[in-house]
Short mmCIF file of all heavy atoms in Angstrom, two decimals:
data_model
loop_
_atom_site.label_atom_id
_atom_site.label_comp_id
_atom_site.label_asym_id
_atom_site.label_seq_id
_atom_site.Cartn_x
_atom_site.Cartn_y
_atom_site.Cartn_z
N LEU A 323 -134.73 159.91 39.42
CA LEU A 323 -133.59 159.47 40.08
C LEU A 323 -133.43 160.00 41.53
O LEU A 323 -133.11 159.20 42.45
CB LEU A 323 -132.20 160.09 39.37
CG LEU A 323 -132.11 159.50 37.84
CD1 LEU A 323 -130.77 159.99 37.39
CD2 LEU A 323 -132.26 157.99 37.75
N LEU A 324 -133.87 161.27 41.74
CA LEU A 324 -133.87 161.73 43.13
C LEU A 324 -135.03 161.04 43.89
O LEU A 324 -134.84 160.71 45.14
CB LEU A 324 -134.20 163.30 43.14
CG LEU A 324 -133.72 164.15 44.24
CD1 LEU A 324 -132.30 164.09 44.30
CD2 LEU A 324 -134.23 165.56 44.09
N GLN A 325 -136.17 160.79 43.28
CA GLN A 325 -137.26 160.07 44.05
C GLN A 325 -136.78 158.62 44.37
O GLN A 325 -137.22 158.21 45.48
CB GLN A 325 -138.51 159.99 43.20
CG GLN A 325 -139.59 159.26 43.68
CD GLN A 325 -140.33 159.84 44.83
OE1 GLN A 325 -139.97 160.97 45.17
NE2 GLN A 325 -141.19 159.15 45.57
N SER A 326 -135.95 158.01 43.61
CA SER A 326 -135.47 156.63 43.97
C SER A 326 -134.73 156.72 45.12
O SER A 326 -134.82 155.73 46.00
CB SER A 326 -134.69 156.07 42.72
OG SER A 326 -133.47 156.69 42.55
N VAL A 327 -133.85 157.67 45.32
CA VAL A 327 -133.05 157.85 46.59
C VAL A 327 -133.96 158.23 47.84
O VAL A 327 -133.77 157.67 48.85
CB VAL A 327 -132.05 158.93 46.41
CG1 VAL A 327 -131.20 159.17 47.68
CG2 VAL A 327 -131.01 158.46 45.31
N ALA A 328 -134.97 159.16 47.60
CA ALA A 328 -135.79 159.48 48.68
C ALA A 328 -136.66 158.40 49.17
O ALA A 328 -136.83 158.17 50.46
CB ALA A 328 -136.62 160.72 48.18
N SER A 329 -137.28 157.76 48.27
CA SER A 329 -138.13 156.64 48.66
C SER A 329 -137.36 155.55 49.40
O SER A 329 -137.83 154.81 50.35
CB SER A 329 -138.89 156.08 47.54
OG SER A 329 -138.05 155.43 46.61
N SER A 330 -136.12 155.33 48.96
CA SER A 330 -135.37 154.18 49.71
C SER A 330 -135.09 154.62 51.09
O SER A 330 -135.18 153.71 52.04
CB SER A 330 -133.98 154.05 48.93
OG SER A 330 -134.17 153.56 47.67
N ILE A 331 -134.84 155.92 51.43
CA ILE A 331 -134.40 156.28 52.76
C ILE A 331 -135.72 156.20 53.61
O ILE A 331 -135.66 155.68 54.70
CB ILE A 331 -133.85 157.72 52.82
CG1 ILE A 331 -132.65 157.81 51.96
CG2 ILE A 331 -133.73 158.22 54.12
CD1 ILE A 331 -132.14 159.17 51.74
N ALA A 332 -136.85 156.85 53.12
CA ALA A 332 -138.03 156.94 53.93
C ALA A 332 -138.64 155.55 54.16
O ALA A 332 -139.05 155.22 55.35
CB ALA A 332 -139.05 157.84 53.26
N THR A 333 -138.77 154.58 53.21
CA THR A 333 -139.42 153.33 53.32
C THR A 333 -138.58 152.46 54.18
O THR A 333 -139.04 151.50 54.81
CB THR A 333 -139.73 152.75 52.00
OG1 THR A 333 -138.56 152.77 51.13
CG2 THR A 333 -140.87 153.53 51.32
N THR A 334 -137.25 152.62 54.21
CA THR A 334 -136.36 151.84 55.05
C THR A 334 -136.71 152.16 56.51
O THR A 334 -136.76 151.28 57.31
CB THR A 334 -134.94 152.03 54.76
OG1 THR A 334 -134.51 151.65 53.31
CG2 THR A 334 -133.94 151.29 55.73
N GLY A 335 -136.79 153.44 56.82
CA GLY A 335 -137.24 153.87 58.13
C GLY A 335 -138.66 153.40 58.48
O GLY A 335 -138.81 152.83 59.72
N LEU A 336 -139.66 153.38 57.54
CA LEU A 336 -140.92 152.82 57.86
C LEU A 336 -140.74 151.24 58.20
O LEU A 336 -141.39 150.81 59.01
CB LEU A 336 -141.88 153.04 56.69
CG LEU A 336 -142.34 154.38 56.54
CD1 LEU A 336 -143.23 154.55 55.29
CD2 LEU A 336 -143.29 154.80 57.78
N ALA A 337 -139.93 150.55 57.45
CA ALA A 337 -139.71 149.17 57.66
C ALA A 337 -139.16 148.80 59.06
O ALA A 337 -139.59 147.87 59.74
CB ALA A 337 -138.77 148.60 56.65
N LEU A 338 -138.21 149.77 59.57
CA LEU A 338 -137.69 149.60 60.84
C LEU A 338 -138.78 149.81 61.93
O LEU A 338 -138.78 149.04 62.96
CB LEU A 338 -136.51 150.60 61.10
CG LEU A 338 -135.19 150.31 60.29
CD1 LEU A 338 -134.20 151.52 60.56
CD2 LEU A 338 -134.65 149.08 60.66
N VAL A 339 -139.61 150.81 61.64
CA VAL A 339 -140.72 150.97 62.67
C VAL A 339 -141.65 149.78 62.70
O VAL A 339 -142.09 149.37 63.76
CB VAL A 339 -141.50 152.28 62.34
CG1 VAL A 339 -142.73 152.40 63.19
CG2 VAL A 339 -140.61 153.48 62.45
N ILE A 340 -142.07 149.34 61.57
CA ILE A 340 -142.91 148.09 61.40
C ILE A 340 -142.27 146.91 62.06
O ILE A 340 -142.99 146.15 62.75
CB ILE A 340 -143.26 147.88 59.90
CG1 ILE A 340 -144.14 148.99 59.38
CG2 ILE A 340 -144.03 146.54 59.83
CD1 ILE A 340 -144.41 148.92 57.93
N ALA A 341 -140.96 146.70 61.91
CA ALA A 341 -140.32 145.59 62.56
C ALA A 341 -140.34 145.76 64.07
O ALA A 341 -140.46 144.68 64.72
CB ALA A 341 -138.89 145.58 62.06
N ALA A 342 -140.17 146.94 64.54
CA ALA A 342 -140.19 147.20 65.96
C ALA A 342 -141.64 146.89 66.54
O ALA A 342 -141.82 146.28 67.61
CB ALA A 342 -139.89 148.65 66.33
N ILE A 343 -142.74 147.25 65.74
CA ILE A 343 -144.03 147.01 66.14
C ILE A 343 -144.28 145.38 66.26
O ILE A 343 -144.77 144.78 67.24
CB ILE A 343 -145.04 147.58 65.19
CG1 ILE A 343 -145.07 149.07 65.34
CG2 ILE A 343 -146.54 147.04 65.51
CD1 ILE A 343 -145.94 149.74 64.33
N ASP A 344 -143.73 144.69 65.24
CA ASP A 344 -143.87 143.29 65.21
C ASP A 344 -143.10 142.60 66.32
O ASP A 344 -143.54 141.68 66.91
CB ASP A 344 -143.32 142.79 63.82
CG ASP A 344 -143.77 141.35 63.50
OD1 ASP A 344 -144.56 140.76 64.18
OD2 ASP A 344 -143.12 140.85 62.60
N ALA A 345 -141.93 143.15 66.67
CA ALA A 345 -141.12 142.51 67.86
C ALA A 345 -141.79 142.71 69.16
O ALA A 345 -141.66 141.82 69.96
CB ALA A 345 -139.80 143.15 67.79
N ARG A 346 -142.58 143.79 69.32
CA ARG A 346 -143.23 143.96 70.64
C ARG A 346 -144.70 143.44 70.67
O ARG A 346 -145.08 143.04 71.68
CB ARG A 346 -143.13 145.53 70.81
CG ARG A 346 -141.87 145.98 71.14
CD ARG A 346 -141.63 147.56 70.91
NE ARG A 346 -140.35 147.95 71.36
CZ ARG A 346 -139.21 147.83 70.54
NH1 ARG A 346 -139.37 147.19 69.34
NH2 ARG A 346 -138.02 148.32 70.98
N ALA A 347 -145.42 143.58 69.50
CA ALA A 347 -146.88 143.24 69.57
C ALA A 347 -147.02 141.84 69.05
O ALA A 347 -148.06 141.30 69.30
CB ALA A 347 -147.76 144.19 68.86
N GLY A 348 -146.09 141.25 68.34
CA GLY A 348 -146.27 139.91 67.79
C GLY A 348 -147.02 139.92 66.57
O GLY A 348 -147.42 138.88 66.03
N THR A 349 -147.43 141.06 65.97
CA THR A 349 -148.27 141.15 64.82
C THR A 349 -148.14 142.44 64.06
O THR A 349 -147.69 143.42 64.81
CB THR A 349 -149.74 140.95 65.06
OG1 THR A 349 -150.45 141.01 63.88
CG2 THR A 349 -150.30 142.00 66.08
N THR A 350 -148.36 142.48 62.82
CA THR A 350 -148.37 143.76 62.09
C THR A 350 -149.67 143.99 61.46
O THR A 350 -149.95 144.94 60.57
CB THR A 350 -147.23 143.78 60.95
OG1 THR A 350 -147.39 142.64 60.14
CG2 THR A 350 -145.89 143.86 61.55
N ASP A 351 -150.73 143.26 61.94
CA ASP A 351 -152.10 143.35 61.38
C ASP A 351 -152.70 144.52 62.17
O ASP A 351 -152.85 144.57 63.35
CB ASP A 351 -152.95 142.11 61.65
CG ASP A 351 -154.21 142.05 61.06
OD1 ASP A 351 -154.85 143.20 60.73
OD2 ASP A 351 -154.86 141.02 60.80
N ALA A 352 -153.01 145.69 61.42
CA ALA A 352 -153.52 146.77 61.98
C ALA A 352 -154.88 146.67 62.73
O ALA A 352 -155.20 147.39 63.60
CB ALA A 352 -153.80 147.90 60.88
N ARG A 353 -155.75 145.62 62.32
CA ARG A 353 -156.84 145.34 63.01
C ARG A 353 -156.69 144.87 64.43
O ARG A 353 -157.55 144.88 65.28
CB ARG A 353 -157.72 144.26 62.24
CG ARG A 353 -158.17 144.77 60.85
CD ARG A 353 -158.71 143.59 60.10
NE ARG A 353 -157.72 142.56 59.81
CZ ARG A 353 -157.86 141.34 59.17
NH1 ARG A 353 -159.06 141.23 58.54
NH2 ARG A 353 -156.92 140.57 59.00
N GLU A 354 -155.44 144.31 64.76
CA GLU A 354 -155.15 143.80 66.07
C GLU A 354 -154.28 144.76 66.81
O GLU A 354 -153.93 144.50 67.90
CB GLU A 354 -154.44 142.50 66.02
CG GLU A 354 -155.31 141.34 65.36
CD GLU A 354 -154.57 140.05 65.29
OE1 GLU A 354 -153.81 139.93 66.08
OE2 GLU A 354 -155.03 139.24 64.51
N LEU A 355 -154.03 145.84 66.32
CA LEU A 355 -153.26 147.01 67.00
C LEU A 355 -154.20 148.20 67.36
O LEU A 355 -155.35 148.11 67.30
CB LEU A 355 -152.14 147.47 66.12
CG LEU A 355 -151.06 146.42 65.66
CD1 LEU A 355 -150.21 147.02 64.54
CD2 LEU A 355 -150.37 145.92 66.76
N GLY A 356 -153.58 149.19 67.86
CA GLY A 356 -154.30 150.41 68.20
C GLY A 356 -153.72 150.92 69.61
O GLY A 356 -153.35 150.10 70.41
N GLY A 357 -153.78 152.26 69.69
CA GLY A 357 -153.41 152.89 70.93
C GLY A 357 -151.85 152.83 71.24
O GLY A 357 -151.49 152.94 72.38
N LEU A 358 -150.99 152.53 70.23
CA LEU A 358 -149.56 152.43 70.46
C LEU A 358 -149.02 153.87 70.76
O LEU A 358 -147.81 153.89 71.39
CB LEU A 358 -148.91 151.90 69.29
CG LEU A 358 -149.24 150.42 68.90
CD1 LEU A 358 -148.42 149.97 67.68
CD2 LEU A 358 -148.96 149.47 70.03
N VAL A 359 -149.66 154.89 70.54
CA VAL A 359 -149.15 156.19 70.76
C VAL A 359 -148.88 156.44 72.30
O VAL A 359 -148.08 157.15 72.69
CB VAL A 359 -150.03 157.29 70.18
CG1 VAL A 359 -151.37 157.40 70.86
CG2 VAL A 359 -149.28 158.60 70.19
N ALA A 360 -149.80 155.86 73.14
CA ALA A 360 -149.58 155.96 74.52
C ALA A 360 -148.44 155.37 75.16
O ALA A 360 -147.63 155.99 75.75
CB ALA A 360 -150.88 155.55 75.33
N PRO A 361 -148.20 154.01 74.88
CA PRO A 361 -146.95 153.36 75.43
C PRO A 361 -145.68 153.69 74.65
O PRO A 361 -144.56 153.55 75.21
CB PRO A 361 -147.35 151.96 75.47
CG PRO A 361 -148.33 151.75 74.28
CD PRO A 361 -149.08 153.06 74.30
N MET A 362 -145.72 154.05 73.42
CA MET A 362 -144.72 154.12 72.45
C MET A 362 -144.76 155.50 71.71
O MET A 362 -144.97 155.51 70.52
CB MET A 362 -144.54 153.02 71.60
CG MET A 362 -144.08 151.70 72.29
SD MET A 362 -143.88 150.32 71.25
CE MET A 362 -145.59 149.92 70.87
N PRO A 363 -144.80 156.69 72.38
CA PRO A 363 -144.87 157.96 71.58
C PRO A 363 -143.81 158.22 70.59
O PRO A 363 -144.09 158.77 69.56
CB PRO A 363 -144.92 158.98 72.80
CG PRO A 363 -144.18 158.33 73.92
CD PRO A 363 -144.56 156.89 73.86
N ARG A 364 -142.51 157.78 71.03
CA ARG A 364 -141.51 158.01 69.96
C ARG A 364 -141.68 157.22 68.67
O ARG A 364 -141.46 157.65 67.70
CB ARG A 364 -140.15 157.65 70.66
CG ARG A 364 -139.66 158.69 71.73
CD ARG A 364 -138.19 158.33 72.17
NE ARG A 364 -137.74 159.19 73.19
CZ ARG A 364 -137.81 158.92 74.52
NH1 ARG A 364 -138.41 157.79 74.83
NH2 ARG A 364 -137.37 159.73 75.37
N MET A 365 -142.16 155.95 68.88
CA MET A 365 -142.41 155.20 67.71
C MET A 365 -143.45 155.79 66.96
O MET A 365 -143.40 155.86 65.56
CB MET A 365 -142.74 153.72 68.12
CG MET A 365 -142.97 152.78 66.97
SD MET A 365 -143.50 151.13 67.40
CE MET A 365 -142.12 150.57 68.39
N ALA A 366 -144.53 156.35 67.52
CA ALA A 366 -145.53 156.98 66.70
C ALA A 366 -145.07 158.17 66.09
O ALA A 366 -145.37 158.47 64.92
CB ALA A 366 -146.75 157.40 67.69
N ALA A 367 -144.23 158.94 66.72
CA ALA A 367 -143.67 160.26 65.98
C ALA A 367 -142.78 159.82 64.85
O ALA A 367 -142.99 160.51 63.82
CB ALA A 367 -142.87 160.99 67.10
N PHE A 368 -141.93 158.86 65.01
CA PHE A 368 -141.16 158.36 63.88
C PHE A 368 -141.93 157.87 62.69
O PHE A 368 -141.65 158.20 61.44
CB PHE A 368 -140.11 157.30 64.26
CG PHE A 368 -138.92 157.88 65.02
CD1 PHE A 368 -138.56 157.38 66.29
CD2 PHE A 368 -138.13 158.73 64.43
CE1 PHE A 368 -137.49 157.85 66.93
CE2 PHE A 368 -137.05 159.37 65.12
CZ PHE A 368 -136.68 158.93 66.37
N PHE A 369 -142.94 157.10 62.89
CA PHE A 369 -143.82 156.63 61.82
C PHE A 369 -144.49 157.84 61.16
O PHE A 369 -144.62 157.85 59.94
CB PHE A 369 -144.94 155.68 62.44
CG PHE A 369 -145.73 154.93 61.34
CD1 PHE A 369 -145.34 153.68 60.94
CD2 PHE A 369 -146.78 155.65 60.73
CE1 PHE A 369 -146.06 153.02 59.98
CE2 PHE A 369 -147.52 154.86 59.72
CZ PHE A 369 -147.17 153.60 59.37
N PHE A 370 -144.92 158.76 61.95
CA PHE A 370 -145.68 159.96 61.33
C PHE A 370 -144.66 160.76 60.46
O PHE A 370 -144.97 161.18 59.32
CB PHE A 370 -146.18 160.73 62.42
CG PHE A 370 -147.04 161.96 61.96
CD1 PHE A 370 -148.39 161.87 61.52
CD2 PHE A 370 -146.39 163.24 61.81
CE1 PHE A 370 -149.09 162.82 61.06
CE2 PHE A 370 -147.13 164.40 61.29
CZ PHE A 370 -148.55 164.18 60.95
N LEU A 371 -143.51 161.04 60.98
CA LEU A 371 -142.53 161.83 60.21
C LEU A 371 -142.07 161.09 58.95
O LEU A 371 -141.83 161.68 57.93
CB LEU A 371 -141.34 162.13 61.10
CG LEU A 371 -141.59 163.07 62.33
CD1 LEU A 371 -140.26 163.12 63.14
CD2 LEU A 371 -141.92 164.43 61.73
N LEU A 372 -141.83 159.79 59.04
CA LEU A 372 -141.39 159.08 57.95
C LEU A 372 -142.49 158.87 56.85
O LEU A 372 -142.30 158.80 55.65
CB LEU A 372 -140.93 157.64 58.34
CG LEU A 372 -139.64 157.69 59.15
CD1 LEU A 372 -139.29 156.42 59.81
CD2 LEU A 372 -138.44 158.02 58.09
N ALA A 373 -143.71 158.82 57.33
CA ALA A 373 -144.89 158.82 56.40
C ALA A 373 -144.94 160.12 55.62
O ALA A 373 -145.17 160.18 54.42
CB ALA A 373 -146.24 158.59 57.16
N CYS A 374 -144.65 161.25 56.39
CA CYS A 374 -144.67 162.51 55.75
C CYS A 374 -143.52 162.65 54.67
O CYS A 374 -143.58 163.22 53.55
CB CYS A 374 -144.45 163.69 56.69
SG CYS A 374 -145.99 164.00 57.81
N ALA A 375 -142.32 162.07 55.05
CA ALA A 375 -141.20 162.06 54.13
C ALA A 375 -141.46 161.19 52.91
O ALA A 375 -141.03 161.55 51.79
CB ALA A 375 -139.90 161.46 54.82
N THR A 376 -142.21 160.13 53.09
CA THR A 376 -142.54 159.12 51.95
C THR A 376 -143.50 159.83 50.95
O THR A 376 -143.23 159.71 49.70
CB THR A 376 -143.24 157.96 52.40
OG1 THR A 376 -142.27 157.22 53.41
CG2 THR A 376 -143.38 157.04 51.34
N ILE A 377 -144.43 160.60 51.33
CA ILE A 377 -145.43 161.24 50.49
C ILE A 377 -145.01 162.65 49.97
O ILE A 377 -145.78 163.26 49.11
CB ILE A 377 -146.79 161.36 51.11
CG1 ILE A 377 -146.76 162.25 52.32
CG2 ILE A 377 -147.21 159.92 51.50
CD1 ILE A 377 -148.14 162.57 52.83
N GLY A 378 -143.90 163.17 50.30
CA GLY A 378 -143.39 164.43 49.73
C GLY A 378 -143.83 165.64 50.42
O GLY A 378 -144.12 166.63 49.83
N MET A 379 -143.84 165.59 51.73
CA MET A 379 -144.16 166.79 52.51
C MET A 379 -143.13 167.83 52.35
O MET A 379 -141.94 167.45 52.22
CB MET A 379 -144.38 166.55 54.02
CG MET A 379 -145.75 165.68 54.17
SD MET A 379 -147.21 166.58 53.86
CE MET A 379 -147.34 167.61 55.24
N PRO A 380 -143.35 169.10 52.31
CA PRO A 380 -142.24 170.10 52.32
C PRO A 380 -141.19 169.96 53.39
O PRO A 380 -141.45 169.70 54.53
CB PRO A 380 -142.99 171.49 52.54
CG PRO A 380 -144.38 171.21 52.16
CD PRO A 380 -144.69 169.80 52.43
N GLY A 381 -139.97 170.06 53.01
CA GLY A 381 -138.86 169.92 53.85
C GLY A 381 -138.15 168.57 53.60
O GLY A 381 -137.12 168.35 54.11
N ALA A 382 -138.81 167.64 52.99
CA ALA A 382 -138.27 166.28 52.74
C ALA A 382 -137.62 166.28 51.41
O ALA A 382 -138.16 166.95 50.51
CB ALA A 382 -139.32 165.19 53.00
N LEU A 383 -136.76 165.38 51.21
CA LEU A 383 -136.23 165.11 49.81
C LEU A 383 -137.21 164.75 48.82
O LEU A 383 -137.13 165.11 47.64
CB LEU A 383 -135.13 164.15 49.95
CG LEU A 383 -134.36 163.73 48.58
CD1 LEU A 383 -133.68 164.96 48.11
CD2 LEU A 383 -133.34 162.52 48.86
N SER A 384 -138.28 163.84 49.18
CA SER A 384 -139.27 163.51 48.31
C SER A 384 -140.09 164.70 47.83
O SER A 384 -140.68 164.62 46.72
CB SER A 384 -140.15 162.52 48.94
OG SER A 384 -140.73 162.98 50.19
N PHE A 385 -140.16 165.82 48.58
CA PHE A 385 -140.86 166.99 48.12
C PHE A 385 -140.28 167.57 46.84
O PHE A 385 -140.81 167.89 45.84
CB PHE A 385 -140.91 168.02 49.19
CG PHE A 385 -141.53 169.40 48.71
CD1 PHE A 385 -142.93 169.57 48.60
CD2 PHE A 385 -140.71 170.46 48.56
CE1 PHE A 385 -143.48 170.73 48.21
CE2 PHE A 385 -141.28 171.64 48.20
CZ PHE A 385 -142.60 171.71 47.89
N VAL A 386 -138.87 167.65 46.93
CA VAL A 386 -138.07 168.09 45.69
C VAL A 386 -138.30 167.15 44.50
O VAL A 386 -138.42 167.62 43.36
CB VAL A 386 -136.66 168.35 46.06
CG1 VAL A 386 -135.81 168.95 44.93
CG2 VAL A 386 -136.53 169.28 47.30
N SER A 387 -138.08 165.89 44.85
CA SER A 387 -138.15 164.89 43.73
C SER A 387 -139.50 164.76 43.16
O SER A 387 -139.53 164.68 41.80
CB SER A 387 -137.53 163.60 44.31
OG SER A 387 -138.63 163.03 45.36
N GLU A 388 -140.52 164.76 43.85
CA GLU A 388 -141.89 164.77 43.24
C GLU A 388 -142.17 165.99 42.49
O GLU A 388 -142.85 165.88 41.47
CB GLU A 388 -142.92 164.50 44.31
CG GLU A 388 -142.86 163.04 44.88
CD GLU A 388 -143.98 162.68 45.79
OE1 GLU A 388 -144.87 163.55 46.00
OE2 GLU A 388 -143.95 161.63 46.45
#
Side-chain angles (χ1 to χ4, degrees):
L323 299 187
L324 207 63
Q325 177 68 10
S326 67
V327 175
S329 64
S330 295
I331 298 171
T333 52
T334 297
L336 285 174
L338 290 176
V339 175
I340 292 172
I343 293 174
D344 195 11
R346 288 157 177 80
T349 184
T350 53
D351 192 334
R353 295 170 298 183
E354 300 182 21
L355 299 172
L358 294 181
V359 68
M362 292 179 285
R364 289 190 181 93
M365 185 184 294
F368 280 125
F369 189 97
F370 184 83
L371 290 173
L372 290 164
C374 291
T376 301
I377 64 173
M379 294 293 285
L383 180 61
S384 55
F385 174 74
V386 182
S387 63
E388 288 186 6

